[in-house]
Amino acid sequence: MKSRLRHQLKALRCGAGMDRELDAEVRFHVEMETEKYVREGMEPDAARTRALRNFGAMATHKEEARDARGVGWLDALVADARYAVRTLRKNPGFALLAVVTLGLGIGANTAIFSVIDGVLLKPLPYANGERLILIQQAAPLANQPNFGVSIRELYDYREQLASFDGIVEFHQMSFDLLRRGEPDRVDVGVVSPNFFDVLGITPMLGRTFVETDDDEGADAVLVLGHAYWQTKFGGDRNIVGQVFEMNDRPHTVVGVLPSVPHYPNEVDVYMPTSACPFRAQAERLVNQNRRAFAALQVFGRLKSGSAPQTAATEVATVGERFKQSHADIYRPGIGFQARTANVLEQLTVGARPMLFILLGTTGLVLLIACANVANLTLARTLRRDRELAMRTALGAGRWRLVRQLLTESTVLAAAGGLFALLFAWSTIDMLTTFVGRFTARTHEIGIDAGVLGFTLFVSILTGLVFGTLPALSSRVDLNTALKAGGKSTGDDSRRRRMQSALITAQVAVSVVLLVGAGLLLLSFYRLQSVDAGFNGDRVTSAEVFGNFTKYPDAPSLRRLYVSILERLEGAPGVVSAAITNSVPLAGVQPGQTRLQIQGHTYNTPEERPTADVRVASTKYFGTLSIPIRRGRAFSELDHENAPPVAIINESMVRHFEGRNPVGMEIGFGAGPNLTWVTVVGVVADVKVFGLDREAVAQVYRPLRQSGGLAGRVLVRITGEPSSAASVIRGAVHAVDPDLPIENVRTLDELRERSIARPRVTAMLLTVFAALALLVTITGITGVIAQSVTHRTQEFGLRMALGATRQTVLRMVLGQGLLLVGIGLALGIAASLALSRVLQNYLYQTTPTDPVTFAAVACALVVAGLLACLGPAWRATTVDPMTALRAE
């Protein structure tokens, strides 16, 4: 077997030389035979002719010799490919249309596959990334899907889990980075010293953390994320060793990370746990409060040979021990559970469903493209019947003709694949931005060897798919095809039925895509039209957080924000200004604060209602034009020494069970820490957390009576919103020049950002659906036009016998619309079943929305009518006498 393979490889490498040797040997034998006949008395020309006749066909001997080498198949393939290229060059219009159609179909699939490959298929870019397991806690009965892991619980997991060789923690904070130009508020990942070792990330500059960095009193050190290092410091390779000021103390940069996705969150810099003042303070309370600092995200690396199922069992067992040992904390009423999850799956959980939907969509587009090119090829083979019949008469067998036609289709598909790579390369940045809204794992999306291999595979498969039907239908009637003056084999009913079936399938698939796009567009329109409950016109927001080292308590923070408000309200062009801790549609999540309602009794803490508690300064509701439904808004009299008050929204009113809440009290906290506040007003609901989310119960506390943790500035101005940034910056820095000002956005921008994901999703599916419709309409036009060409004699005869042009027009239109009608019926049936996969992406729109289905049906009928109109009109212009004479 090996010697044969070596022989074939040598034949491939030296084939040209062997052919020359064979030619020389053939000439030698012919010359020797010629000389023999000359010696016998024959004339030289006659002797050579007899020698050649005795030797046989040269091509046959050469093919036998190549077959003996084992590479005859390659020679035949090369010959077929050359012939295919020559044939296609003679039909540039057909070739160009087929290449572009296939290129768009293959390119869409290549682009989506490059994203799927980079996001879902490639292993994590960490050493032993497949062994990373997330440890999660939940209390579903208490409506807490993420229960958070506390410091004490982390230590228990480390002590009791035997399947892991490292368990680390992460939590995110925001701190001010000073004395490095403009004050900068950075997102900080607070991590265990062996965090990067467990994750499997090696720094590109310097080092990561070591155990001594986490010692109490150790020098504060930082590791910079790659993106922050590039954008803030321009990729300065001398950054290691430089000292920053953060949290009122110096921090030394010891390393820079490579460009890899961060887990679990994207942050700017990292610090060890001992350097975080809040984490260090909570460390001292773990013996008194088991749930102290329950804000950690915890994951670990499995030991080599440990199974994920074993780790899941161990974590669940430890969770059961928590419930048995501390029943007062992990009460049965909250349904506490501990579980594991794969880190890769968690990184991509938001992107996976949408990517598979897009892959299915592009797959359908490719099927439509294949059907369209198959129809074009069928039409072309009808015109090539005379050529195919001639080759059959000269000895070509059926498989030889099929092989040639398949080679032509594969050459077309390969050319389409090259066009597809160009298409994918030009669209990959857009797709990466789109997928970035679902997952942080976009660093490895690109056109690499795997994507090139996928494109090659799809191109070859596509060539075989769209070439098989025309090739297998290439049976010709020699008597008919070779008749003198015959144009073709005439009407081939089998191939006509095949073309009609392909058109029907194209229409059906187009209906599915159009219905999906229509549902998303209708959903987006309804989402865009939602009344958010506030007026954001000419309102700008910004984040201004007081540094905890300078403003360590609630009174100092309140004084800071009151001073900023006074500056803003006195600035030129400012209509009103406010301070809050939550700007509508800014991407924050609702809080879950347990409350008590005056006059209600609760058997368990879980029976108390939950509400999202927000801070609002005096003019907050006026700045956003939020209507006051009952009672009053906050006033300057609601200061820290006045009786505590609150304003609730309409969704909170339902917890008062029909009573007027104004004047009633609600309680915060429990036991000796219970604080009662009086409700002084009710405001309208506001879509704070997303236009597609129902309003939640909310309680507003006045800024002067709050804990001071506000940090969001709102300003309504009379001029252009772009001028608000300088107004805010001037007012804030007049109070404290070291305060960072971040995320300056108008509320209109925030609204647009909040619906960017459904907008781009709808746009992508609409583009694919429009492409499918265009290809389908082109196919219908081509098939009807070809039918008109082949039925010229029939139309001439009909009109000679008295048929009117209107009759012929209706006949041709009816033929096309019949195909559209059948495809439409099949497509609607398929859409009713398949559109449900979009359920989670629709807002106030059902997957069987009748408006969408009716609109798609009308659009397909109109498009089909327009596609048939041109060929139908051409059929009415046939001159009966000319048509009959031509036949």
Side-chain angles (χ1 to χ4, degrees), residues 7 60 142 219 282 408 577 596 826 835 886:
H7 179 72
T60 301
D219 292 337
E408 290 181 17
Q596 294 192 43
L826 294 175
S835 60

Side-chain angles (χ1 to χ4, degrees), residues 552-562 565 579-582 613-618 634-635 638-646 668 675 677 699-712:
D553 51 26
S556 61
L557 282 170
R558 288 197 293 262
R559 286 193 297 270
L560 167 68
Y561 291 124
V562 169
L565 270 180
I579 298 288
T580 182
N581 63 341
S582 174
V613 180
R614 295 295 163 184
V615 174
S617 61
T618 304
F634 295 134
S635 71
D638 298 318
H639 51 74
E640 54 268 33
N641 297 320
V645 296
F668 294 84
T675 302
V677 301
V699 176
Y700 298 90
R701 295 297 315 281
L703 172 66
R704 294 173 184 267
Q705 295 182 356
S706 71
L709 297 177
R712 273 84 175 183

Side-chain angles (χ1 to χ4, degrees), residues 121-136:
L121 301 183
K122 286 182 179 176
L124 289 172
Y126 313 136
N128 302 310
E130 73 284 354
R131 288 160 49 193
L132 295 177
I133 300 295
L134 182 66
I135 299 175
Q136 299 175 319

Side-chain angles (χ1 to χ4, degrees), residues 824-847:
L824 186 60
L826 294 175
I828 289 177
S831 299
L832 290 171
L834 297 178
S835 60
R836 300 185 186 278
V837 301
L838 297 175
Q839 179 72 59
N840 294 333
Y841 302 93
L842 301 178
Y843 174 74
Q844 292 186 352
T845 304
T846 64

Side-chain angles (χ1 to χ4, degrees), residues 273-295:
T273 56
S274 64
C276 174
F278 302 102
R279 166 69 169 76
Q281 182 181 6
E283 180 84 30
R284 306 185 188 100
L285 304 175
V286 294
N287 293 328
Q288 293 80 28
N289 180 5
R290 179 174 178 78
R291 290 284 293 165
F293 210 82

Side-chain angles (χ1 to χ4, degrees), residues 394-524:
L394 293 175
R398 174 166 171 73
W399 165 241
R400 184 68 184 82
L401 296 180
V402 169
R403 191 181 74 188
Q404 179 60 51
L405 293 175
L406 285 177
T407 302
E408 290 181 17
S409 66
T410 305
V411 168
L412 278 175
L418 294 177
F419 180 81
L421 287 175
L422 179 63
F423 176 85
W425 177 79
S426 64
T427 58
I428 198 166
D429 288 342
M430 179 192 69
L431 286 173
T432 300
T433 302
F434 167 69
V435 175
R437 302 180 185 278
F438 295 87
T439 176
R441 198 189 177 194
T442 59
H443 294 67
E444 295 178 273
I445 297 175
I447 307 295
D448 56 14
V451 176
L452 291 176
F454 173 83
T455 305
L456 177 62
F457 170 77
V458 172
S459 299
I460 294 174
L461 181 63
T462 298
L464 295 176
V465 167
F466 82 77
T468 297
L469 288 178
L472 293 179
S473 69
S474 60
R475 293 190 179 126
V476 292
D477 183 343
L478 292 180
N479 292 328
T480 304
L482 296 178
K483 279 181 182 177
K487 286 178 10 179
S488 69
T489 61
D491 279 342
D492 185 335
S493 60
R494 185 165 56 86
R495 278 188 277 193
R496 304 274 182 242
R497 288 195 298 271
M498 194 178 298
Q499 285 184 302
S500 298
L502 288 172
I503 287 295
T504 301
Q506 283 181 269
V507 172
V509 175
S510 295
V511 169
V512 173
L513 294 181
L514 287 170
V515 166
L519 289 172
L520 288 176
L521 286 173
L522 180 60
S523 171
F524 175 69

Side-chain angles (χ1 to χ4, degrees), residues 149-210:
V149 179
S150 69
I151 300 174
R152 179 69 263 172
E153 290 165 344
L154 166 68
Y155 294 162
D156 288 342
Y157 284 125
R158 284 177 176 169
E159 293 171 1
Q160 300 179 41
L161 296 178
S163 296
F164 294 82
D165 62 9
I167 296 178
V168 294
E169 63 176 285
F170 171 96
H171 76 271
Q172 184 171 329
M173 302 294 294
S174 293
F175 296 124
D176 294 348
L177 188 64
L178 305 176
R179 313 293 178 251
R180 299 289 300 189
E182 187 79 12
D184 190 17
R185 190 164 183 84
V186 294
D187 292 326
V188 181
V190 183
V191 298
S192 307
N194 62 332
F195 178 85
F196 299 106
D197 296 331
V198 170
L199 203 56
I201 296 179
T202 302
M204 64 171 294
L205 294 177
R207 66 171 177 86
T208 55
F209 303 130
V210 295

Side-chain angles (χ1 to χ4, degrees), residues 39 87 168 195 218 251 253 282 313 479 537 573 597 671 722 737 792 796 882:
R39 287 195 299 269
T87 303
V168 294
F195 178 85
H251 288 67
V253 175
T313 301
N479 292 328
D537 184 44
I597 307 295
S722 57
T792 299
T882 302

